[in-house]
Amino acid sequence: MENFTFYAPTYFAFGKDTENETGSYVKRFGGKKVLIHYGGGSVIRSGLLDRVKKSLEAEAIPYVELGGVMPNPRSGLVYEGIDLCRKEQVDFILAVGGGSTIDSAKAIAAGVPYDGDFWDYYQGKVVNEALPIGTVLTISAAGSEGSPDSVITKEEGMYKRGATGEALRAKFTIMNPALTQTLPPFQTACGITDIMAHLYERYLTNTKEVECTDRMIEALMLTMIHEGTRAMEDPDNYEARANIMWAGMMAHNNSCGVGRSQDWTSHDVEHELSALYDCAHGAGLAVVMPAVFTYNLQHDVMRFAKVAVRVWGCQMDFDHPERTAAEGIEALRRFLTSIGMPANFKELGADEKDIERMAHSCCYGDARTGTIGGFVSLDQKDVENIYRLMV
Amino acid sequence: MENFTFYAPTYFAFGKDTENETGSYVKRFGGKKVLIHYGGGSVIRSGLLDRVKKSLEAEAIPYVELGGVMPNPRSGLVYEGIDLCRKEQVDFILAVGGGSTIDSAKAIAAGVPYDGDFWDYYQGKVVNEALPIGTVLTISAAGSEGSPDSVITKEEGMYKRGATGEALRAKFTIMNPALTQTLPPFQTACGITDIMAHLYERYLTNTKEVECTDRMIEALMLTMIHEGTRAMEDPDNYEARANIMWAGMMAHNNSCGVGRSQDWTSHDVEHELSALYDCAHGAGLAVVMPAVFTYNLQHDVMRFAKVAVRVWGCQMDFDHPERTAAEGIEALRRFLTSIGMPANFKELGADEKDIERMAHSCCYGDARTGTIGGFVSLDQKDVENIYRLMV
């Protein structure tokens, strides 16, 4: 195991009706003037935004609003939010929504106290200072509610890039699983896929003897397969939604990823797809993951066999472990198809002719230096080959 | 799943040589005058205490010392520590040791700013204020390094009781697995047993549909069985020690215990043994757990069968699930014996004639009201019967 530090000081309030306590948590964590940041109409239509506002008003905390966050959130709205916060002397950012809204809120929070262009953080500068952030989570997926990460797309060049830093951890996160019961099935499935991807990105490591975190990741994968299937079959099942919501947070707060190298190839390869076609991140990952894993299988057959046996219930083929390894990838593919995810470029709406361009952007775009991948180092040619497996 | 809150804002620095950073972490978390609290000679002999002092001196942070914490830490030393801190105007408590030292440090930290008797907290008053605490962990066992809990024994009446409160979470915890390599095998085994007990206490729940936390607990149990066995066979194995250390923290920081009722019968039943005979807590638990589980088996056969199948690798007997359930308890017993733990009163040094007295103290002593147990409600007669199973 490698040396590491772990610090996850987010206060989680989990369960039914917890959104009504938002105001008291903002107060507890020192917010005096709030920006409420959100996406489209669903938080308005559901009445959630009103309930959140009411809870702020009950604590006499003033607020301004900025809606309009889109999936694959853009830098344009971030600049707008930074200007608004400075003008209105906002000192606390409250995200009401899913990963896109939270990531956009984090970018604004980092940008307000920063003299330079906030995009610097998305080119590798660590975020050590940001306005305090709170979140009211509406979809189990990105894990941004408990992570120190944010992903934003820059319109100029359509680069989708991530920033990180302890200052980006939310002060508090409100998690009411009931809020996720009304999601369209496609979005629920995208969330399940994203969570599975966060687990695979950590599972695919070159660090030896990390049994504790291996087991934890496997536990969360098993939970997602079981409860994900239940939530798809029975969207109103609160218990399934609750198990998914906690698993989604645990999958990405990094307690199961400490002390080990991680991969993140699938995310990098996917980001090109959602940046170019504006497809849902989860849907992109569903197409990307089996291709990446198949391409990388020979790098560590036993690791792929391990997840196949322990998570997917495959029988170990002791004479031909690579068959078991491949079986596990097939089982993942079947699971993703079963929850309604796309399986190839066509179903995703991607086009073969863009492969070279995407692979180049993935390896060289916006300050990258030619290779990606923490598990297997991949160059542009490799990434092109991976995209071809998805056609 | 039940509604819950979860807040674990401890900063963990994990890995080789991390104890040399103690001073910088004390500084980071605002300590200006430190009490170094520790137990016996091992932290002196190993040079650990000197390294910690050197790191404080490097940051020009003054300190006073209070050693002499014994296993099953006593209230007498706590009162002494409180007086010393007040006299010396200490503003930060640094525990260098295992669970006993950390628990004693927590009691001192809570007592210093409190007008009343610190024991009030060990009779049920929640700890909302305490001096900041840091820990340098030397044994994987109690999980106190990441928990909001503390257990102290009051000499008068020999009551062993617990306190809890978010203020008791350490600000930082230094975890160097190499420090545990020199532990005597018996202490390593006691630690493994304590960690297994923390997992069982959470696993035995009456809350339905808590698959995510069930799976997480199972993952940590599997880790402990595998890595615990390795550490016993090969004490110098850093990787085994590292996996145990992270698992031990995760087992008790409650991320795998949220949203579900918990048991804690085994701990309550054991505390009478270690209070009366001053036996090691882990050794006591090894004798107690199989007895408690056997006594409670009929309350939820399927839960005991589940842990038997998923953790202990038993084959499910679908016609007679109670046989599988019992097989899992036998497997636990065999594991505990294999790492050198006692299996009955005689091996523990306990005496049958004290059973009634212990059961009475367990159910009625020091503000208790007649029953214990979160999984099955047990009265004095039940507790007597459980002790008899250990003879």
Side-chain angles (χ1 to χ4, degrees):
Chain A
M1 205 183 297
E2 300 165 11
N3 281 17
F4 65 85
T5 62
F6 179 72
Y7 187 46
T10 300
Y11 192 106
F12 297 98
F14 189 105
K16 289 170 183 160
D17 302 323
T18 41
E19 67 271 22
N20 298 322
E21 298 161 34
T22 307
S24 69
Y25 284 111
V26 170
K27 190 174 175 184
R28 174 172 172 165
F29 289 99
K32 292 193 170 57
K33 177 79 179 274
V34 172
L35 172 73
I36 308 180
H37 198 38
Y38 56 92
S42 67
V43 299
I44 301 170
R45 282 193 306 277
S46 68
L48 173 61
L49 194 64
D50 278 341
R51 294 201 294 284
V52 167
K53 286 181 187 174
K54 210 169 281 178
S55 82
L56 288 169
E57 287 156 12
E59 302 288 343
I61 298 168
Y63 55 81
V64 292
E65 295 176 45
L66 181 63
V69 183
M70 304 295 285
N72 304 314
R74 307 296 171 90
S75 56
L77 195 66
V78 173
Y79 290 114
E80 200 179 315
I82 292 169
D83 288 345
L84 179 63
C85 288
R86 286 175 178 164
K87 190 177 132 223
E88 295 283 345
Q89 300 193 288
V90 162
D91 65 3
F92 197 100
I93 313 286
L94 180 64
V96 180
S100 297
T101 300
I102 298 171
D103 282 4
S104 183
K106 286 178 173 180
I108 294 169
V112 172
Y114 181 55
D115 282 341
D117 183 347
F118 91 92
W119 191 253
D120 294 349
Y121 290 127
Y122 293 76
Q123 289 188 315
K125 186 180 164 74
V126 173
V127 185
N128 288 319
E129 195 192 353
L131 291 188
I133 302 150
T135 87
V136 180
L137 186 64
T138 59
I139 174 169
S140 306
S144 189
E145 68 277 10
S147 85
D149 310 310
S150 162
V151 177
I152 298 289
T153 299
K154 185 182 180 179
E155 281 95 339
E156 193 190 339
M158 291 312 279
Y159 294 120
K160 189 171 178 176
R161 294 290 182 264
T164 193
E166 293 301 342
L168 292 184
R169 294 224 189 232
K171 296 292 173 196
F172 70 83
T173 281
I174 307 273
M175 303 171 93
N176 177 357
L179 298 178
T180 69
Q181 289 173 206
T182 51
L183 286 169
F186 180 74
Q187 279 195 39
T188 296
C190 284
I192 292 165
T193 309
D194 196 13
I195 294 167
M196 287 299 284
H198 292 158
L199 293 165
Y200 267 102
E201 300 281 24
R202 289 178 167 88
Y203 200 78
L204 297 174
T205 185
N206 294 315
T207 311
K208 298 295 172 204
E209 310 209 65
V210 284
E211 187 69 3
C212 179
T213 42
D214 272 359
R215 286 285 190 190
M216 287 169 63
I217 295 168
E218 290 158 7
L220 295 168
M221 286 180 171
L222 286 161
T223 302
M224 289 307 303
I225 296 164
H226 183 72
E227 302 293 348
T229 303
R230 282 216 302 170
M232 293 308 296
E233 286 168 4
D234 178 13
D236 286 333
N237 191 316
Y238 178 86
E239 298 300 342
R241 298 287 188 173
N243 279 288
I244 290 171
M245 197 169 237
W246 193 242
M249 193 288 289
M250 290 300 300
H252 202 46
N253 86 339
N254 210 34
S255 53
C256 66
V258 291
R260 51 195 290 150
S261 75
Q262 301 184 8
D263 187 9
W264 299 97
T265 297
S266 295
H267 272 70
D268 282 345
V269 170
E270 192 292 314
H271 284 169
E272 301 303 323
L273 292 165
S274 47
L276 190 60
Y277 305 111
D278 207 21
C279 60
H281 175 53
L285 285 167
V287 177
V288 166
M289 278 192 288
V292 169
F293 303 163
T294 301
Y295 195 80
N296 284 344
L297 189 149
Q298 288 300 333
H299 176 71
D300 189 345
V301 168
M302 283 313 231
R303 182 146 285 274
F304 282 105
K306 185 172 177 178
V307 69
V309 170
R310 288 189 178 175
V311 173
W312 296 106
C314 302
Q315 290 292 312
M316 180 66 183
D317 185 334
F318 292 90
D319 295 323
H320 313 97
E322 68 282 2
R323 289 181 61 94
T324 309
E327 239 183 82
I329 298 170
E330 271 316 297
L332 167 67
R333 201 194 300 266
R334 273 196 306 276
F335 171 70
L336 295 171
T337 301
S338 79
I339 60 172
M341 287 286 95
N344 52 47
F345 260 34
K346 195 174 164 202
E347 290 177 23
L348 189 68
D351 193 329
E352 202 176 346
K353 73 171 171 33
D354 295 320
I355 283 179
E356 203 180 317
R357 171 184 167 193
M358 288 192 295
H360 184 269
S361 171
C362 188
C363 294
Y364 291 98
D366 201 46
R368 294 247 173 96
T369 54
T371 57
I372 62 159
F375 186 53
V376 184
S377 182
L378 303 167
D379 63 17
Q380 186 182 331
K381 212 77 217 157
D382 293 312
V383 176
E384 283 177 25
N385 291 337
I386 288 169
Y387 281 126
R388 277 186 227 294
L389 291 177
M390 306 176 206
V391 172
Chain B
M1 206 183 294
E2 300 164 11
N3 282 17
F4 65 85
T5 61
F6 179 72
Y7 187 45
T10 300
Y11 192 106
F12 297 97
F14 189 106
K16 289 170 184 159
D17 301 323
T18 42
E19 67 271 20
N20 299 323
E21 298 161 35
T22 307
S24 68
Y25 284 111
V26 170
K27 190 175 177 185
R28 174 171 172 166
F29 288 99
K32 293 193 170 57
K33 176 80 180 272
V34 171
L35 172 73
I36 308 180
H37 199 39
Y38 56 92
S42 67
V43 298
I44 300 170
R45 282 194 305 276
S46 69
L48 173 61
L49 194 64
D50 277 341
R51 294 201 295 283
V52 167
K53 285 181 189 175
K54 210 169 280 177
S55 82
L56 287 169
E57 286 156 13
E59 301 290 343
I61 299 168
Y63 55 81
V64 292
E65 295 177 44
L66 181 63
V69 182
M70 305 293 286
N72 304 314
R74 306 297 170 89
S75 55
L77 195 68
V78 173
Y79 289 114
E80 198 179 317
I82 292 169
D83 288 344
L84 179 63
C85 288
R86 286 175 179 164
K87 190 178 131 220
E88 296 282 346
Q89 300 193 288
V90 162
D91 66 3
F92 198 100
I93 313 287
L94 180 65
V96 181
S100 297
T101 300
I102 298 171
D103 282 4
S104 183
K106 286 178 173 180
I108 295 170
V112 172
Y114 181 54
D115 282 339
D117 183 347
F118 92 90
W119 191 254
D120 293 349
Y121 292 127
Y122 292 77
Q123 290 189 315
K125 187 180 165 75
V126 173
V127 184
N128 288 320
E129 195 192 354
L131 292 188
I133 302 151
T135 87
V136 181
L137 187 64
T138 59
I139 173 168
S140 305
S144 190
E145 68 277 9
S147 86
D149 308 311
S150 162
V151 176
I152 297 289
T153 299
K154 185 181 178 179
E155 282 96 338
E156 193 191 337
M158 292 311 280
Y159 294 120
K160 189 169 177 177
R161 294 291 181 265
T164 193
E166 294 301 342
L168 292 184
R169 293 220 189 237
K171 295 293 173 198
F172 70 83
T173 282
I174 307 274
M175 304 170 93
N176 178 356
L179 298 179
T180 70
Q181 288 173 207
T182 52
L183 284 169
F186 180 75
Q187 279 195 40
T188 296
C190 283
I192 292 166
T193 308
D194 196 14
I195 294 167
M196 287 299 283
H198 292 159
L199 294 164
Y200 267 101
E201 300 283 24
R202 290 178 167 87
Y203 200 77
L204 297 175
T205 185
N206 294 314
T207 311
K208 299 293 172 205
E209 310 208 65
V210 285
E211 187 68 4
C212 179
T213 42
D214 272 359
R215 286 285 191 192
M216 286 168 64
I217 295 168
E218 291 158 7
L220 295 168
M221 286 179 171
L222 286 160
T223 302
M224 290 308 302
I225 297 164
H226 182 72
E227 301 293 348
T229 303
R230 281 216 302 170
M232 294 307 297
E233 288 168 4
D234 179 13
D236 285 333
N237 190 315
Y238 178 86
E239 299 299 342
R241 299 287 189 174
N243 279 288
I244 289 172
M245 199 169 236
W246 193 241
M249 193 288 289
M250 289 300 299
H252 202 46
N253 86 339
N254 211 34
S255 54
C256 66
V258 291
R260 53 195 289 151
S261 75
Q262 302 183 7
D263 188 8
W264 298 97
T265 297
S266 295
H267 271 70
D268 282 345
V269 170
E270 192 292 314
H271 283 169
E272 300 303 323
L273 292 165
S274 47
L276 190 60
Y277 306 110
D278 207 21
C279 60
H281 175 53
L285 285 167
V287 177
V288 165
M289 278 193 287
V292 169
F293 303 162
T294 301
Y295 195 79
N296 285 344
L297 188 149
Q298 288 300 332
H299 176 70
D300 190 345
V301 168
M302 285 311 231
R303 182 146 285 274
F304 283 105
K306 185 173 175 176
V307 69
V309 170
R310 288 188 177 175
V311 173
W312 296 106
C314 303
Q315 288 293 311
M316 179 67 182
D317 184 335
F318 291 90
D319 294 323
H320 313 96
E322 69 281 3
R323 289 180 62 93
T324 309
E327 238 183 82
I329 298 170
E330 273 313 300
L332 167 66
R333 202 194 299 267
R334 273 196 305 276
F335 171 70
L336 295 172
T337 301
S338 79
I339 61 173
M341 286 287 97
N344 52 46
F345 260 33
K346 195 175 164 203
E347 290 176 24
L348 190 67
D351 193 329
E352 203 177 342
K353 73 172 169 36
D354 295 320
I355 284 180
E356 203 181 316
R357 170 184 169 194
M358 288 192 296
H360 185 269
S361 170
C362 187
C363 293
Y364 290 99
D366 202 47
R368 294 247 172 96
T369 55
T371 57
I372 62 158
F375 186 53
V376 183
S377 181
L378 302 167
D379 62 17
Q380 186 182 331
K381 213 77 216 156
D382 294 313
V383 176
E384 284 177 25
N385 291 337
I386 287 169
Y387 281 126
R388 277 186 227 294
L389 292 176
M390 306 175 205
V391 172

